[in-house]
Structure formats: C-alpha cells, structure tokens
Amino acid sequence: MTLARAESATSDLLPVDLAEVACSVLDQMDERCRRRNLRVRAHLDEAPVTGDPLLLEQMIGNFVDNAVKYNLDEGVLDVRTGTTAAGAFVGVGNDGATLAPHEIPVLFEPFRRLTDRVGSTRGSGLGLSIVRAVAHTHHGDAAAAPRTGGGLTVTVTLPCAR
C-alpha cells in the first residue's frame, strides 16, 4: 500500500526541510545503529522542499533502514542533506557488499533483491522502490552508486522549495 500511495499524486504539500526529517529518522534508528556498532556521520545542511511530510519521512526512513540493514557490523552510515544547483538532496551511504554498477538498477525494482541479499529474510525488496516512487511523485529522482570498497550510496534530489 505504501508503494501505491507513493506513486499517486500528493495532496498535502507543505514546506519540509529534509535535514529535519533525516535528523528525526536517525533518532529513531539510534538504537539499531548502536547494536550494530555503526559509526554514524551526519552532515545535515538545510534542504527545503515542498511535499507530503509523511511520504518524505517514509522515503528517508526506507533508505536509512536499508543502509543500516545491509551495512557491515562496525561499518559507517553516512547521511547528508543540502542543496545544489540540481535541487535539495538527501544522500545515504553505507559500507557493505561490493556491488557492480550493472546491479544497481535492480535495487529499485519492486520485490527484487540482489542474489547475496536474497538468502536473508531481511526485507521484501520494496524499500528502494518506495524511495524512487516518492521521489518521482515529488518531481525528483533517486539514484544509487556503488562505493569504493563496498557498500552503496543512494541520493534523492527534489526541487527546492520556492
């Protein structure tokens, strides 16, 4: 249902700072990060957008959750927000398995996970599908790139609030 809601037009458009949402999500994930001994590095600069606050929180929650879930124990969780000429962004990176660039598009497809992740019961394969759907609904986009040494960085860019 979340994926369907994320793909539909938003009706509750309000000013939202992605930095505040990311901070709230990190607070909610604090205990999970501590249990995994993750080093959290947050660089949360103002990132004003106009959108559905609940969907945007779900979006950031999903990709922070993925970054924690698929991180290495004692790994790094990087969360960044800010603005560029392209718009407001939120980016989340983690340490983890080494991914080839051709594997990245599969991560955004509903119910699809990479082979090394399928052996676990850690997810349904909807997390990044929801992230991209929410980004598209807000006239933005989501992209991912493998990190040198393993892991992934996912970045959502949305139009800045006027």
Side-chain angles (χ1 to χ4, degrees), residues 24-38:
S24 173
V25 167
L26 286 172
D27 284 347
Q28 295 168 35
M29 298 279 183
D30 184 60
E31 179 59 31
R32 284 182 58 205
C33 291
R34 277 194 271 146
R35 276 184 279 162
R36 302 275 316 277
N37 292 318
L38 299 180

Side-chain angles (χ1 to χ4, degrees), residues 69-70 113 117-124:
K69 190 182 303 181
Y70 296 111
R113 292 179 288 162
R117 292 181 175 187
V118 172
S120 75
T121 57
R122 293 191 283 181
S124 63

Side-chain angles (χ1 to χ4, degrees), residues 53-127:
L54 295 176
L55 279 179
L56 293 169
E57 182 176 19
Q58 177 80 48
M59 176 189 76
I60 294 172
N62 277 11
F63 70 119
V64 170
D65 178 67
N66 267 11
V68 170
K69 190 182 303 181
Y70 296 111
N71 209 327
L72 302 175
D73 287 337
E74 300 182 5
V76 173
L77 174 67
D78 284 312
V79 181
R80 297 177 180 274
T81 61
T83 58
T84 66
F89 71 89
V90 57
V92 177
N94 70 328
D95 294 333
T98 300
L99 302 172
H102 72 272
E103 295 176 301
I104 302 302
V106 172
L107 297 175
F108 288 99
E109 294 177 21
F111 307 109
R112 298 278 306 272
R113 292 179 288 162
L114 295 179
T115 304
D116 64 334
R117 292 181 175 187
V118 172
S120 75
T121 57
R122 293 191 283 181
S124 63
L126 282 174

Side-chain angles (χ1 to χ4, degrees), residues 121-135:
T121 57
R122 293 191 283 181
S124 63
L126 282 174
L128 292 180
S129 301
I130 291 169
V131 167
R132 180 167 275 169
V134 173

Side-chain angles (χ1 to χ4, degrees), residues 8 12-13 20 33 35 47 49 54 65 67 79-80 105 148-149 162:
S8 65
D12 298 327
L13 300 178
E20 291 176 9
C33 291
R35 276 184 279 162
V49 300
L54 295 176
D65 178 67
V79 181
R80 297 177 180 274
T148 304
R162 294 189 171 106

